Amino acid sequence: MKKNMNNKLKILCIVGARPNFMKIAPMMRVFNQPESGISAELLHTGQHYDAAMKASFFDQLGIPEPDVDLGVGSSSHAVQTAEIMRKFEPALDARQPDLVLVVGDVNSTIACALVAVKKGIPVVHVEAGLRSYDRDMPEEINRVLTDQISELLLITEKSAQANLVREGIDPKRIHFVGNVMIDTLFANKKRAVPPKEVLVELSNPEMFLEAESGYGLVTLHRPSNVDDPKVLARLLETLAEISQRMPLIFPVHPRTRGQIDAANLAGLLVSDRIALLPPLGYLELLGLMSSAQLVLTDSGGIQEETTALGVPCITLRENTERPITVEEGTNTIVGADPDCIKACFEQLLTTGGKRGRVPELWDGKAAERVADVLLQWESIRGSGAMSTKSS
Ligand code: UD1
C-alpha cells in the first residue's frame, strides 16, 4: 500500500535488549523502503549495551544506527524501567510520532509503551498475546501490561488471539502477521558463520565438529535458572553429565557468567567436552544452531528458531509462552529437574527427536504484513470510518 511521500505514517520503533534486535531488523528495512508509506525512526534504550550484546547485531543484521540512544544500562527492574521511562519522555516529545512500536517482552517494551500511551500516542505491540501463565517471570508481567495498553496487537501464533480475547482485548485490534524474528532467520540462513569458524579459537574444535554424536548447543539466562546458586549448580552438573554422551557448546550470557563467578561454580564445567564461549553474534549463533544435533535452552526466541530450523530443542523451563513450538515444532518442555532433563536427552538420542513443521505464516514475510496492518489502521483512522479504540 502506497501513501503520499510527504505524508508518511511516522513510527518510532523501540529496541532495548538482544532479542529485540532480530525482530526490529526486517521491519526497519520494510518500513524505510522508498516506496513505503511509513517513515520509521529507531530508539535504543541501552538496556543491552556490550558490543557482544548489541553492536554485533546491528552490524550483522544491517540495522541502522539508532536515531536516539537513551544509554540506560543495567540495574534492578524498578530502576531500569524507571530510567527508561524518564529518559524516553523527552525523546518522544521531541519526535511526536503517529505510533510507537514495541516488540517482545523486555523491560524496555513496557517502559516505552507506558510512556507513549499516557501521552496519547498509540502503541503497536509486535509479538503480542504470548502467555506462559507464570507471573514469576518478569517477561510475563511485561507482556500482560503491554498488551493491555496497546492499540494494535500483532501476533505470531493463533494461540495468542485466544489469550488476548480472554483478557478482554477487542478482536478488531488483533492481527495475525506471523513471526518477524523468523524473517530474520530465513534472510540470514545462508550467511550463518560455519561452526568451524566459530570454534576456531578452541584448542580442540574437532571434539565438537567431528563427534559421532554431533554436538549440543546450550544457552541459559533465565533468572529462575541462574539466579539461585543451588538451581544453577544442579543445572550445570546435569550439563556436565550430558556432555559425557554428547559434547556441548555453551555461549555464556553475561547474567549467567556473573552468577557462575559469584557462586564459584566454574569448576563444574571444566571439561574438554564443554566449550564455554562468550556471548555470540547472530550469525555465529545461527551457524552453531543450524548444525547442532540438539539445543538445550531456556530462551524464548531459540525455541522458535529451532522449530523454524527443524532442530530438536529441549527447553529447561516449566512452561512456554510459545506453545506452537511444542504442538507443531521440535520443542519439548522439561523444566529444570536433572532427572527429567537427562531422561528427555536419552530419549532424544534414541529417537532423533521431533521432526516438526514450520508454523503458519513463519514464512519470511511477516514484516511486510506488519507494514500493511499499520497503513490500513492509519487509513481507517484517517477516514474516521471506524475507531479500533475501546472507550
Ligand atoms: C533481558 C530480558 C530477557 C531477555 C534477555 C536476553 C528483561 C526483564 N529481561 O534479560 O527477557 O531474554 O534480556 O538477553 O528485560 N549485562 C551485561 N551487558 C549487557 C547487558 C547486560 O553485562 O549488555 C549483564 C549485567 O550484569 C546485567 C545482566 O546482564 O545486570 C542482566 O541484564 P538485564 O538487561 O537486566 O537482563 P537479561 O538477563 O539480559
Side-chain angles (χ1 to χ4, degrees):
M1 191 179 300
K2 283 185 197 165
K3 284 201 67 204
N4 179 344
M5 295 294 281
N6 299 321
N7 185 25
K8 293 191 174 205
L9 179 68
K10 202 170 147 195
I11 303 183
L12 185 58
C13 298
I14 310 298
V15 288
R18 187 169 64 172
N20 297 162
F21 304 142
M22 37 282 217
K23 293 170 193 163
I24 217 75
M27 291 191 282
M28 288 304 288
R29 199 165 40 249
V30 168
F31 293 170
N32 284 336
Q33 276 165 1
E35 291 297 291
S36 126
I38 295 174
S39 152
E41 285 194 306
L42 186 62
L43 180 143
H44 178 38
T45 64
Q47 181 174 345
H48 284 174
Y49 45 91
D50 279 354
M53 301 296 283
K54 185 224 156 193
S56 67
F57 290 82
F58 275 67
D59 293 346
Q60 292 185 342
L61 299 179
I63 305 171
E65 265 310 296
D67 299 282
V68 195
D69 190 337
L70 302 181
V72 165
S74 305
S75 39
S76 69
H77 282 267
V79 172
Q80 188 177 61
T81 309
E83 273 298 288
I84 296 169
M85 291 178 69
R86 202 175 62 76
K87 291 190 167 172
F88 181 51
E89 183 170 37
L92 190 59
D93 286 343
R95 286 181 155 71
Q96 294 291 325
D98 299 315
L99 282 172
V100 165
L101 181 146
V102 296
V103 297
D105 54 18
V106 302
N107 286 343
S108 301
T109 309
I110 177 62
C112 293
L114 193 50
V115 172
V117 78
K118 288 210 168 181
K119 289 196 158 272
I121 300 178
V123 173
V124 188
H125 186 203
V126 175
E127 203 188 82
L130 297 179
R131 296 288 181 271
S132 64
Y133 292 98
D134 174 3
R135 294 269 170 120
D136 289 337
M137 271 182 97
E139 293 82 1
E140 183 75 353
I141 310 289
N142 296 341
R143 292 181 198 118
V144 170
L145 298 180
T146 303
D147 286 340
Q148 278 298 326
I149 57 176
S150 291
E151 168 80 7
L152 286 169
L153 300 106
L154 309 191
I155 62 172
T156 53
E157 59 172 280
K158 283 186 179 159
S159 70
Q161 163 110 13
N163 294 335
L164 290 169
V165 169
R166 213 175 294 128
E167 290 169 16
I169 307 276
D170 181 349
K172 284 205 289 286
R173 297 182 185 196
I174 305 168
H175 300 268
F176 179 34
V177 293
N179 194 323
V180 287
M181 196 184 63
I182 303 304
D183 288 7
T184 295
L185 184 138
F186 288 154
N188 288 284
K189 217 172 145 191
K190 289 205 181 105
R191 298 173 63 222
V193 179
K196 200 168 129 198
E197 287 173 36
V198 183
L199 302 182
V200 74
E201 308 250 311
L202 294 185
S203 58
N204 60 342
E206 64 288 345
M207 170 68 76
F208 305 91
L209 299 171
E210 292 164 25
E212 207 173 308
S213 61
Y215 65 82
L217 176 68
V218 179
T219 84
L220 211 56
H221 76 283
R222 292 264 154 236
S224 58
N225 280 338
V226 307
D227 284 4
D228 177 343
K230 279 202 210 90
V231 174
L232 179 58
R234 263 205 320 267
L235 276 171
L236 299 184
E237 281 161 2
T238 309
L239 293 173
E241 271 189 59
I242 288 177
S243 75
Q244 293 310 310
R245 306 287 309 276
M246 178 183 281
L248 296 177
I249 301 174
F250 183 4
V252 188
H253 185 283
R255 171 188 279 277
T256 313
R257 167 62 66 194
Q259 299 295 344
I260 289 176
D261 291 346
N264 211 5
L265 297 175
L268 294 175
L269 296 175
V270 176
S271 157
D272 61 352
R273 295 178 63 82
I274 302 179
L276 296 180
L277 305 177
L280 297 173
Y282 181 78
L283 297 176
E284 286 80 4
L285 192 77
L286 182 55
L288 286 181
M289 196 162 30
S290 308
S291 301
Q293 192 63 28
L294 62 89
V295 174
L296 294 130
T297 191
D298 60 7
S299 153
I302 289 177
Q303 293 172 52
E304 295 185 340
E305 288 167 337
T306 45
T307 275
L309 290 167
V311 173
C313 179
I314 298 178
T315 294
L316 308 176
R317 283 174 43 191
E318 304 296 338
N319 48 56
T320 182
E321 60 287 333
R322 295 160 159 93
I324 203 158
T325 60
V326 177
E327 288 152 16
E328 294 187 16
T330 56
N331 192 15
T332 308
I333 306 293
V334 294
D337 176 71
D339 291 334
C340 295
I341 299 169
K342 284 183 275 185
C344 180
F345 169 76
E346 290 299 332
Q347 195 194 12
L348 223 138
L349 276 189
T350 321
T351 63
K354 291 160 78 173
R355 287 193 181 276
R357 64 168 186 266
V358 180
E360 188 183 355
L361 297 192
W362 293 19
D363 59 359
K365 295 184 181 134
E368 289 164 30
R369 286 188 285 269
V370 173
D372 286 346
V373 169
L374 302 186
L375 289 168
Q376 240 160 39
W377 170 83
E378 213 238 352
S379 69
I380 292 169
R381 192 178 68 147
S383 73
M386 185 181 90
S387 169
T388 54
K389 274 194 180 170
S390 58
S391 57

